Amino acid sequence: MSVHAPADLHAPAAAGPAAVDAVTARATRTVAVTVPDWPLLAALDRHQRRLEAAAGEEDAPAPVPLDLAAVPVILLDQHRVTHAGAAALEAGVRPGMTRRAARAACPEALVLEADREQETALFELVAAAVDTIAAGVDVLRPGVLLMSARGPSRHQGGEGRLAERILDAVADLTGWDCAVGIADGPFAALLASGPGRIVHEGRSADYLAPHPIQALRSAPVGPGWGHRGQPSAARPERRLDLAETVDLLQRLGITTLGDLAALPSAAVADRFGPDVATLHLLARGQEPAPPAAHHPTQPLLAETTLETPLVRTDQAAFIARPLAEQLHAMLVERGLVCTRLRIVARTEGGEEMERTWRHDGALTVADVVDRIRWQCDGWITRARLGGPATGAITRIGLHPLQLAPAGENAPALWGSAGEAAQRASRALARAQGLAGEEAVQVPALVGGRLLADEVALVPWRSEKPERREGPWPGALPRPVPATVFRDPPAVRLEDAAGRPVVVTARGLLSGAPARLLVLASGAPALQRAGLRAGSGCQVLAHAAPVVLDERWWARDGRRAARLQLVVRGASAEEVAVLALSRAGEWTLEGLYD
């Protein structure tokens, strides 16, 4: 079987949007490995092995492998054609046909039935072959692998060399041809894998622009799309289908991804809703921001040791559900959901095998059960089909790799998931369309030492700024004040004799605080707390000051100090405040609830 390097590895970008914004430049450099018509190849492999087994029982000659270019082959799923070989396509068979129509178009065609579990198990051979070149392979779905390009390309001596090594490994170890594409973001990488291209960094938008709008059918969109078997959040009474959306865009005169990308973002979100707005983001060469990662204080692990080693695929069904329910209970207890899962197995010989699975939205117990069963079946099948011998599996563990707060994926109490969020999204998009992008802003955590520096306001649906990782010596420990002032109001802190209280060079207070005076009218939150302009509040208690030395080694370094106080407001209620001193002047950073 001949293997060729990807054609036109560094092809110049096609005509399209010239400007690529900062979001595209920071998109994840992704490798997509695809096996064209994988469900058809897997079904054909299953059919061929059945023929070989029957021939072996009858001592007959081994059957000749079928050639898709010469023998018409059709794959059916729920009585409709999903894939057809070259000979069947030439005879007039098309995906979407019913069984009867396909039979009428090509009576001599070999008809096979789709088997999702067998497709998944057999695809482990391809994943294992790619694993020999680079670790960290994620299975998006049977037939498609994704991986980060940064580390492996440096190790292999460049992205072109990495693509060649993957092609050779899959062909040598499995006998199948695969395609490799490398680009910024998974969508551009998936489209680039068809012709086997490597798109220059920062040029994904230009590469995507001339593609027909039908390319959106393979978009890696999230939950809420009917073709993923999930109901639409925007229209709970029906399913939102990619084919229907593509047809609508075509009827509106949008024929290429470049046409879609040229539309204003606010107008797309207002007219079509957030699901199509995500497609618009992909067409512009960008990628949706991943869910905010959540890192629990203790790593989560669900693991079981098997009393009877696992050597048959039917055994996996019995151990999968208890293990999945154990992981689900741990996540529910912590209020988390898992969107990326690693399955690890240990054999009798001490060998460890692992595979990572991605998923659109939260993984349910049924999703985890399916992936455990598929993966165990894949490892066992790999050895049975001539791959590396695995031995009996004695231990299986589940490692959640990507966690998010459960509220971001939980369904609403009444109706489908996120109906209120969908209505709010439309309202915010409408406001942006009327008043401009800056009219609707949302907070984004960026990191910093002071409370006002930790959060930045950015336009809704825009790229969030990168988080500045700490450590931040002197940062306020949690819990932080519930109210943080963007413009801290000025205050005066006095002792019992009316003298100003300051923080000395040694980090001590010059006197015991007795009175807090609000110098000017501040935010409404101050008024509600009873801290009115010109009024003095009795200090009931205070903590020790915390000195902040910012860039103490430089001339532009700043020195500040924090002080937590409990004061009595005008309504005789006790109010906890956080004061900040700079150059002898006090301001209020925030109010505690």
Side-chain angles (χ1 to χ4, degrees), residues 306-384:
L306 307 179
E307 296 181 1
T308 303
L310 183 65
V311 293
R312 301 191 315 273
T313 56
D314 58 338
Q315 293 176 273
F318 293 98
I319 60 99
R321 179 160 290 278
L323 192 58
E325 290 176 346
Q326 178 187 349
L327 175 64
H328 182 69
M330 296 169 66
L331 294 174
V332 169
E333 182 181 353
R334 293 162 175 80
L336 301 173
V337 294
C338 176
T339 58
R340 194 160 170 249
L341 179 68
R342 175 175 293 160
I343 303 174
V344 181
R346 180 183 289 272
T347 66
E348 286 180 324
E351 178 191 4
E352 278 201 355
M353 304 174 294
E354 64 179 46
R355 181 68 62 226
T356 303
W357 288 84
R358 293 190 184 190
H359 185 67
D360 291 336
L363 281 162
T364 64
V365 171
D367 294 327
V368 176
V369 169
D370 286 342
R371 278 149 183 80
I372 296 174
R373 192 175 68 251
W374 294 342
Q375 193 56 62
C376 291
D377 191 9
W379 282 324
I380 296 171
T381 301
R382 180 179 69 180
R384 192 171 64 242

Side-chain angles (χ1 to χ4, degrees), residues 542-583:
H542 67 87
V546 178
V547 178
L548 308 176
D549 278 328
E550 298 180 279
R551 296 178 55 83
W552 53 266
W553 63 90
R555 291 186 176 181
D556 60 347
R558 297 182 300 176
R559 183 179 174 87
R562 274 200 181 103
L563 184 64
Q564 292 171 315
L565 302 161
V566 178
V567 301
R568 191 183 304 278
S571 57
E573 292 185 0
E574 296 181 0
V575 182
V577 301
L578 180 66
L580 180 70
S581 172
R582 273 183 172 167

Side-chain angles (χ1 to χ4, degrees), residues 277-506:
T278 300
L279 295 180
H280 178 257
L281 196 69
L282 295 174
R284 292 167 56 195
Q286 303 173 12
E287 58 179 323
H294 184 90
H295 303 286
T297 54
Q298 294 293 330
L300 295 180
L301 170 64
E303 193 174 44
T304 182
T305 301
L306 307 179
E307 296 181 1
T308 303
L310 183 65
V311 293
R312 301 191 315 273
T313 56
D314 58 338
Q315 293 176 273
F318 293 98
I319 60 99
R321 179 160 290 278
L323 192 58
E325 290 176 346
Q326 178 187 349
L327 175 64
H328 182 69
M330 296 169 66
L331 294 174
V332 169
E333 182 181 353
R334 293 162 175 80
L336 301 173
V337 294
C338 176
T339 58
R340 194 160 170 249
L341 179 68
R342 175 175 293 160
I343 303 174
V344 181
R346 180 183 289 272
T347 66
E348 286 180 324
E351 178 191 4
E352 278 201 355
M353 304 174 294
E354 64 179 46
R355 181 68 62 226
T356 303
W357 288 84
R358 293 190 184 190
H359 185 67
D360 291 336
L363 281 162
T364 64
V365 171
D367 294 327
V368 176
V369 169
D370 286 342
R371 278 149 183 80
I372 296 174
R373 192 175 68 251
W374 294 342
Q375 193 56 62
C376 291
D377 191 9
W379 282 324
I380 296 171
T381 301
R382 180 179 69 180
R384 192 171 64 242
L385 297 182
T390 58
I393 298 174
T394 58
R395 180 179 297 177
I396 296 178
L398 303 179
H399 300 252
L401 297 183
Q402 187 166 286
L403 299 171
E408 297 182 6
N409 293 275
L413 182 60
W414 310 112
S416 66
E419 292 178 48
Q422 296 289 337
R423 291 195 297 270
S425 295
R426 289 182 177 274
L428 296 178
R430 179 66 174 169
Q432 278 188 326
L434 294 174
E437 188 179 21
E438 299 291 334
V440 181
Q441 295 186 327
V442 294
L445 292 175
V446 294
R449 185 171 287 106
L450 301 180
L451 294 180
D453 297 336
E454 285 194 40
V455 178
L457 291 178
V458 297
W460 180 67
R461 294 189 67 86
S462 69
E463 175 73 4
K464 291 182 173 58
E466 292 186 4
R467 185 179 178 89
R468 303 188 297 265
E469 298 297 337
W472 298 102
L476 190 68
R478 270 48 180 170
V480 298
T483 302
V484 177
F485 298 105
R486 293 183 61 187
D487 299 313
V491 296
R492 177 184 173 89
L493 195 60
E494 299 176 346
D495 60 13
R499 293 186 297 267
V501 176
V502 297
V503 179
T504 66
R506 301 181 62 183

Side-chain angles (χ1 to χ4, degrees), residues 83-115:
H83 295 80
L89 291 173
E90 188 176 350
V93 179
R94 295 292 180 267
M97 281 185 171
T98 62
R99 178 193 294 266
R100 179 175 297 179
R103 280 288 197 184
C106 187
E108 68 277 9
L110 171 64
V111 179
L112 303 175
E113 294 288 341
D115 185 342

Side-chain angles (χ1 to χ4, degrees), residues 65-295:
L66 296 178
D67 183 3
L68 290 176
V71 180
V73 181
I74 300 172
L75 182 66
L76 297 178
D77 187 12
Q78 297 181 353
H79 305 289
R80 286 197 175 270
V81 177
T82 58
H83 295 80
L89 291 173
E90 188 176 350
V93 179
R94 295 292 180 267
M97 281 185 171
T98 62
R99 178 193 294 266
R100 179 175 297 179
R103 280 288 197 184
C106 187
E108 68 277 9
L110 171 64
V111 179
L112 303 175
E113 294 288 341
D115 185 342
R116 177 64 183 273
E117 293 196 14
Q118 192 265 347
E119 295 169 15
T120 308
L122 194 62
F123 193 62
E124 173 60 24
L125 292 174
V126 179
V130 179
D131 261 341
T132 63
I133 305 302
V137 175
D138 287 5
V139 180
L140 183 63
R141 57 180 177 268
V144 179
L145 295 172
L146 295 178
M147 58 188 292
S148 173
R150 296 290 183 194
S153 64
R154 287 196 296 266
H155 179 70
Q156 297 295 338
E159 293 179 344
R161 180 59 179 160
L162 172 63
E164 293 175 0
R165 292 290 307 277
I166 292 175
L167 289 170
D168 292 340
V170 173
D172 293 342
L173 298 177
T174 69
W176 291 304
D177 284 330
C178 71
V180 178
I182 304 178
D184 296 336
F187 183 45
L190 285 172
L191 294 186
S193 67
R197 298 204 173 195
I198 298 178
V199 181
H200 279 296
E201 192 167 356
R203 303 300 298 275
S204 287
D206 294 334
Y207 175 74
L208 291 171
H211 282 78
I213 199 68
Q214 290 89 340
L216 288 176
R217 295 174 186 267
S218 60
V221 293
W225 291 88
H227 78 297
R228 296 295 175 91
Q230 297 170 330
S232 165
R235 296 184 291 177
E237 73 280 358
R238 60 177 302 188
R239 292 178 181 271
L240 186 60
D241 190 83
L242 272 177
E244 175 187 329
T245 303
V246 169
D247 180 64
L248 172 62
L249 295 176
Q250 284 180 307
R251 285 188 276 114
L252 293 175
I254 302 171
T255 59
T256 66
L257 295 181
D259 294 339
L260 179 60
L263 299 176
S265 301
V268 173
D270 183 37
R271 171 64 178 82
F272 299 105
D275 284 333
V276 180
T278 300
L279 295 180
H280 178 257
L281 196 69
L282 295 174
R284 292 167 56 195
Q286 303 173 12
E287 58 179 323
H294 184 90
H295 303 286

